[in-house]
Amino acid sequence: MSHSEHISTITHPIRNERVRERSSAPARERIVVADALRGFALMGLFIVHMVEYFELYWYQPEPGWIHNTVFFLFGGKAYGVFALLFGLSFYIILDNHARRGRDFRLRFCWRLMLLWFFGYVHSLLYAGDILQLLAICGFLLVICQRLGNKALLSIALFFLFQGPQMLIIAWYTVVGVEYQAPLFIAHMVRNFDVFATGNISELLRYNLLTGQVGKWLFFFETGRLWQLIGLMFVGAYTGRIGLFESPLPRVAILFKCVLAAAAAYLFISWCTAFISGLFTEGMARWAAEQLLNYCANLCVIGGGVCLFLAAYQRTLLRPYIEKLAPAGRLTLSFYLLQSVVFVPVFYGFGLGGFAFLGQAWSLLLAVVCCLLQIVLATVWLKQYRYGPMEWVWRKLTFLGAKN
């Protein structure tokens, strides 16, 4: 036997043993605080959709304290928390399979394609669907999965602080564009007219393609797209460093972060008028104002997440916060169900509630339905391991898999 064959004979059982150890390594347990935060974000997004009449608020705006308060707390923020936790889930899923010695990236791409399909079908009823965006942006996470922590964090910061939007503002300033107002507005106006007056057949046909355009222009022109990508990368980074796993960051540190976020929010609000004044009227100024608005939103998101983690560590509050966790595990099912139930309530093909329900009743209905969803999720998970759509998504994800 040659020397190399002798080494191979000795090391081969060792390699096989390592493979067996990795393949039998247990997956991590669910992170309850992350599930609870996801449930909180789901309910926040639902409340926004309800007082927004699933977008038809903008058909006949009713400004007032209810709208202003809900949108300050959750408008653009619940989306952000979803994106953050989507990035965290991406890391957990891939890491769980890596512990078993499997490279799950290709299968995860198939999973993203399924999510996009669910989102597209959903968008035929509710054009404001976010699942399509999360699915498409998720491919960036797959591409960058092998990067180190510093590279991942650098990408996150580039998008979080609107690097692409800065380049677009520079383009508007130096080269200029023929139009002086965002393109998405005209598309949204047409959308609202169909939502308010069309029958179900007209709505479905319209949303096959035309009704989708305004949403994508909105994500691009406002800069929300870049922030959501950044938050997804932050979520993947927090998974790597175990931010949401025990032990959580100390409460004192979290409160300092909340205070820093509040100070940053006030500073951005104070200097917004000055910075926007540096630009002449037109798209450059509008885009700069959007950039500052999303930076302010980022402060609220960051401060809110830190406050949530701090509250979770309080013995008195934890049992109540954990009641949100079951809803967080049924996010896909509930997100789709909310539209199926309430789009017909508000839209013209159904009850046309946008014209008579009003902000107060819509908010009250939202709060009651949030409580019902929390109870329903708790009861459901006592009988089943997954929500209905979560089960379908999982089954289709592993379609054709050998193990």
Side-chain angles (χ1 to χ4, degrees), residues 316-336:
L316 183 64
L317 297 176
R318 178 176 291 192
Y320 297 100
I321 293 174
E322 287 184 343
K323 292 184 184 297
L324 292 164
R329 293 175 58 182
L330 272 64
T331 297
L332 180 60
S333 296
F334 278 148
Y335 177 70
L336 298 176

Side-chain angles (χ1 to χ4, degrees), residues 300-323:
V300 178
I301 293 170
V305 170
C306 290
L307 192 60
F308 190 92
L309 294 179
Y312 183 77
Q313 295 182 70
R314 296 299 186 187
T315 305
L316 183 64
L317 297 176
R318 178 176 291 192
Y320 297 100
I321 293 174
E322 287 184 343
K323 292 184 184 297

Side-chain angles (χ1 to χ4, degrees), residues 4 13 22 50 84 199 212 268 307 319 343 347 355 393:
S4 60
R22 286 192 321 190
M50 290 293 285
L84 176 77
N199 58 42
Q212 311 273 341
I268 292 170
L307 192 60
V343 165
Y347 279 29
W393 192 17

Side-chain angles (χ1 to χ4, degrees), residues 154-224:
S154 298
I155 294 171
L157 294 175
F158 173 73
F159 284 106
L160 276 181
F161 294 105
Q162 302 284 314
Q165 190 78 343
M166 293 181 186
L167 297 176
I168 292 170
I169 292 170
W171 175 270
Y172 288 151
T173 304
V174 177
V175 179
V177 289
E178 294 181 0
Y179 52 93
Q180 296 299 306
L183 297 175
F184 78 84
I185 293 177
H187 289 273
M188 289 298 193
V189 169
R190 290 195 293 272
N191 286 5
F192 302 150
D193 189 56
V194 174
F195 301 165
T197 64
N199 58 42
I200 184 63
S201 177
E202 291 170 337
L203 175 70
L204 295 176
R205 286 199 307 270
Y206 182 77
N207 281 342
L208 279 171
L209 181 60
T210 308
Q212 311 273 341
V213 176
K215 169 183 66 181
W216 290 104
L217 284 174
F218 171 82
F219 281 130
F220 178 79
E221 291 185 312
T222 61
R224 179 175 287 189

